[in-house]
Amino acid sequence: MGLPDDYRAMARIRRFEERLAALKDDGEIPGSIHLCNGQEAIPVGAARALRDGDHVTATYRGHGWALTRGVDMTGLFAEMMGRDSAVNGGRAASPYLSDPGRWFMGENSIVGAGVPIATGAALTAQRTGSGAVSVVSIGDGAMNQGNVHEAINLAAVLDLPLVLVVENNVYSEMSRIEDMVRIRQLAERAAGYGIPGRVVDGNDPDAVAQAVTEAVTRAREGTGPSIVEAMTERLVGHYSGDVQHYRPAGEIAAAREREPLVRIRAAADAELTARLDAIDAEVAAEVEAAVAAAREVPFPDPATVKEYVYV
Amino acid sequence: MSESLRYIQAVNAALAWALDSRSDTVYFGEDVALPGGPFGATKGLHKRFGSDRIFDTPISETGFLGMALGAAMTGLRPIAEIMYADFSFVAMDQIVNQIATIRYSSAGRWKAPLVIRMQQGYSPGACAQHSHSVEAYFAHTPGLRVALPSTPDDAYQMLRTAVTSDDPVVVAEARMLYPTRGPVRADAPVEPIGGARVVRDGRDATVVAWSRMVPAALAAADQLAAEGFETEVIDLRWLNPLDFDTVGASVSRTGRLVVAHEANLTGGFGAEIAARATSECFADLKAPVARVAAPDVPMPAAPALQKAVVPEAEHVAEAVRATVRR
Ligand SMILES: Cc1ncc(C[n+]2csc(CCOP(=O)(O)OP(=O)(O)O)c2C)c(N)n1
């Protein structure tokens, strides 16, 4: 791991999300999509702390987590295109996809609902002594959901190997999080559960990796859950089609100066810049190939619509 | 070999069987481990199986039903107890949006082999928030199985079936039946899921009931027999999978159908049975399908008022008489 690897991993997510937005504009993606442009350093940093067998649970803004967990890119595009993808056969689409083969418990389109479910994966790890941890990512707004509170407290009293990553992108959908809570940092709530909580720069994969590694180590040792609050900013709308009238003038432009990819490029010398350019070209080719392959995946057979309700 | 047990003891025996015979089962809920459960369903289990297998949770139905799902997805077979069925409503998201959908939405790549055990129905003095009959909410939800045992033996057999099912099962027991006693076949093989049962033969009318209304329907059939009507009584047992074949076969013989449940009338599962009977047995019906149910009011707490709404044997008998008269 190191800078070029992190850059590549983040660039893959960025390019993936940009390509999705274009496909959405072209009418190739039927449903709503929630992109994570600007937040890529969080799944990429966290991935460094994880190994095979560790479960990851995310939200509808979870494409970055799916990619860093190793879910097949072609499958992801095909799933979102409503095709019979190997990921979920067109039954999940952008906000609810999952991949057991990659320990990706899935996204969730109910705000906060993934936290109790991730707690269950942590229970299995604890009861079977597998040594695995369960990492769950949510947004800042999700911290105000009762299900999140219930799950963190449960994980705390049972000493479960759970790591809650809060991606604080300042907005709870279209409302500023500062108008929704009376505390400055959401990680302060950790004290209320008797567990550690840390705030990190979520646009720096090293900072995220360090904090999540600490939390994961603690979890693997059987000492229980932690909260990592990663500060970041969304470079795009909450959902496809969001005109972001609620964001003050200049805010997005300023965020573009601070986002993780630009940050690496700003500090790069000529040699590194050339390497990053080469990575960008490779990533673009990989993404184009995945889109092309996804377009070859057939649409699901309507005759199968009743399959999979029951075992 | 069968022994005589109370309904609640049969539940306890099934849970002991599950924890004993399947090392992947875990049991959790509120006050279930050290206290042994508010009704004694888990009495002695913590002592026998230890905290690894059965433990108390905080009062967090959403949290621990979500935990049950995540644990089921990753290899355990959790049995989660909701103390009163009424409290399942605070966890509806996890039941309806999460537990019921994960298998389908992942194209069968995940499964959720878990049991949500609860008890339901009115009891004297219990208020609206401790008296709901919840079966229609869950029978409406694709992805869930729904079991409503009415006897000690079924409390035992159906719970064991639920534990071995690879689909999520809601087992809604009848609190009012907990003290009832009956033979329980402890060593019977685990039954496949589903299946209604004809619990009394008769040629003049069919009564379909479940849960507490089964003994009520049997009592009604006794009264009616004295009047010369022979009533067939079907214990539906499972609302999902629904065994309508058994109902249809009976209606084709009797030509008359009464459905009885304690839940209130509108949108109750009786409406589903009536609709199916109309579409599948129309030619056999000699009279309109009748429904016996509580009226559409929240459950009052005062026994004098409860008496005015809770369906009993005499309501079933009267419905059968009215049907036969038509
Ligand atoms: C229970 C629930 N309530 C409301 C919504 C609608 N909704 C979707 S995303 C969202 C905002 C969540 O904000 P946050 O948790 O900060 O995450 P972000 O979108 O910023 O990643 C809302 C309100 C939902 N999906 N689920």
Side-chain angles (χ1 to χ4, degrees):
Chain A
M1 288 298 163
L3 197 151
D5 286 335
D6 281 347
Y7 183 87
R8 177 186 297 276
M10 294 192 296
R12 273 181 100 231
I13 299 171
R14 177 71 56 84
R15 187 73 200 140
F16 180 89
E17 298 289 62
E18 288 172 348
R19 196 64 189 86
L20 264 186
L23 290 167
K24 175 80 201 162
D25 289 343
D26 293 345
E28 280 193 66
I29 308 274
S32 186
I33 51 175
H34 303 78
L35 307 177
C36 67
N37 307 41
Q39 304 182 199
E40 298 88 346
I42 302 168
V44 167
R48 279 207 232 152
L50 301 182
R51 53 194 197 210
D52 283 359
D54 292 336
H55 283 101
V56 167
T57 309
T59 69
Y60 46 85
R61 204 180 300 290
H63 305 160
W65 292 91
L67 285 167
T68 54
R69 200 71 290 231
V71 181
D72 176 54
M73 193 186 277
T74 298
L76 291 173
F77 276 124
E79 181 63 30
M80 296 185 211
M81 290 172 175
R83 293 173 185 273
D84 187 15
S85 83
V87 176
N88 299 129
R91 280 153 175 83
S94 169
Y96 191 26
L97 55 86
S98 62
D99 185 351
R102 299 304 313 164
W103 306 281
F104 186 57
M105 302 278 286
E107 301 179 293
N108 211 298
S109 77
I110 301 297
V111 168
V115 186
I117 298 169
T119 301
L123 180 75
T124 300
Q126 184 194 62
R127 299 289 144 144
T128 60
S130 70
V133 300
S134 178
V135 173
V136 53
S137 139
I138 56 172
D140 43 277
M143 283 295 273
N144 292 335
Q145 275 282 329
N147 51 20
V148 174
H149 160 70
E150 291 191 12
I152 305 174
N153 184 59
L154 249 175
V157 294
L158 295 171
D159 295 323
L160 296 181
L162 182 78
V163 176
L164 176 67
V165 177
V166 183
E167 300 188 48
N168 188 340
N169 64 9
V170 194
Y171 284 95
S172 171
E173 196 162 78
M174 304 181 194
S175 306
R176 292 186 73 80
I177 188 66
E178 67 193 17
D179 297 331
M180 299 294 147
V181 294
R182 283 281 180 249
I183 46 177
R184 251 167 35 89
Q185 296 289 162
L186 297 163
E188 291 170 30
R189 290 202 187 154
Y193 300 104
I195 64 173
R198 271 189 63 177
V199 182
V200 294
D201 178 352
N203 286 2
D204 175 357
D206 287 328
V208 174
Q210 201 198 1
V212 175
T213 301
E214 215 171 85
V216 161
T217 304
R218 178 183 143 81
R220 282 202 216 286
E221 283 167 356
T223 348
S226 314
I227 298 175
V228 175
E229 179 180 7
M231 302 305 296
T232 185
E233 287 163 293
R234 202 174 9 85
L235 301 178
V236 294
H238 166 70
Y239 64 101
S240 44
D242 175 7
V243 294
Q244 306 196 74
H245 58 281
Y246 52 88
R247 291 183 84 165
E251 183 183 84
I252 300 171
R256 289 194 183 283
E257 308 278 304
R258 301 186 282 254
E259 57 106 328
L261 290 169
V262 161
R263 218 190 253 197
I264 292 174
R265 280 196 167 266
D269 58 15
E271 192 199 325
L272 182 57
T273 300
R275 278 178 75 188
L276 300 180
D277 288 344
I279 290 173
D280 277 351
E282 286 162 23
V283 164
E286 182 195 1
V287 169
E288 265 342 285
V291 170
R295 285 180 173 141
E296 298 300 313
V297 176
F299 289 101
D301 178 357
T304 67
V305 73
K306 292 185 182 171
E307 284 175 18
Y308 308 124
V309 180
Y310 298 101
V311 172
Chain B
M1 189 190 76
S2 90
E3 53 182 324
S4 173
L5 294 179
R6 294 191 191 282
Y7 189 122
I8 190 68
Q9 293 171 320
V11 171
N12 181 269
L15 296 177
W17 172 90
L19 289 165
D20 193 37
S21 61
R22 299 201 62 121
S23 60
D24 52 1
T25 51
V26 285
Y27 192 93
F28 48 82
E30 294 153 16
D31 300 336
V32 300
L34 292 173
F39 303 96
T42 50
K43 205 167 150 188
L45 299 182
H46 181 259
K47 192 158 180 233
R48 182 164 161 204
F49 296 101
S51 299
D52 257 9
R53 308 291 307 289
I54 174 166
F55 56 92
D56 294 317
T57 63
I59 305 160
S60 303
E61 286 79 6
T62 300
F64 71 72
L65 284 191
M67 180 168 78
L69 173 58
M73 289 167 70
T74 50
L76 295 182
R77 265 174 198 270
I79 308 168
E81 175 177 319
I82 299 284
M83 189 186 285
Y84 277 72
D86 313 68
F87 312 157
S88 68
F89 295 139
V90 306
M92 271 317 235
D93 172 56
Q94 285 295 338
I95 304 175
V96 175
N97 277 323
Q98 313 294 339
I99 290 170
T101 63
I102 186 63
R103 178 174 159 78
Y104 185 77
S105 297
S106 67
R109 298 191 69 206
W110 296 102
K111 56 183 181 169
L114 61 91
V115 176
I116 310 171
R117 223 204 107 231
M118 55 183 79
Q119 54 78 26
Q120 68 170 19
Y122 99 104
S123 56
C127 72
Q129 297 157 335
H130 283 65
S131 299
H132 276 107
S133 292
V134 300
E135 67 268 18
Y137 295 92
F138 300 124
H140 182 65
T141 304
L144 301 178
R145 301 297 196 185
V146 182
L148 290 120
S150 74
T151 65
D153 193 52
D154 266 353
Y156 181 78
Q157 310 302 349
M158 290 167 74
L159 186 49
R160 290 197 311 157
T161 299
V163 169
T164 29
S165 166
D166 280 340
D167 290 315
V169 185
V170 173
V171 179
E173 297 158 5
R175 178 168 76 259
M176 283 290 269
L177 298 179
Y178 275 171
T180 59
R181 186 178 271 286
V184 173
R185 296 164 297 130
D187 300 324
V190 176
E191 296 173 352
I193 198 160
R197 183 181 295 135
V198 177
V199 291
R200 180 184 173 119
D201 293 322
R203 57 173 192 282
D204 298 324
T206 301
V207 175
V208 172
W210 52 90
S211 192
R212 190 184 62 81
M213 291 314 288
V214 174
L218 288 169
D222 282 344
Q223 291 174 28
L224 291 163
E227 299 162 24
F229 297 137
E230 286 307 326
T231 311
E232 185 139 299
V233 177
I234 295 176
D235 182 350
L236 200 57
R237 300 174 76 239
W238 295 87
L239 305 199
N240 187 316
L242 176 62
D243 173 11
F244 192 79
D245 287 351
T246 297
V247 177
S250 175
V251 171
S252 72
R253 286 192 301 272
T254 64
R256 298 174 203 277
L257 175 61
V258 173
V259 192
H261 54 64
E262 183 179 308
N264 62 293
L265 185 75
T266 302
F269 200 74
E272 179 62 30
I273 298 295
R276 294 230 187 180
T278 316
S279 54
E280 292 177 36
C281 315
F282 191 70
D284 296 320
L285 284 170
K286 296 177 201 149
V289 179
R291 288 181 287 161
V292 175
D296 292 328
V297 296
M299 186 65 71
L305 294 174
Q306 288 179 329
K307 239 182 155 49
V309 294
V310 173
E312 299 288 0
E314 58 267 26
H315 301 96
V316 179
E318 190 41 45
V320 172
R321 281 184 209 109
T323 302
V324 174
R325 274 198 299 268
R326 290 190 67 142

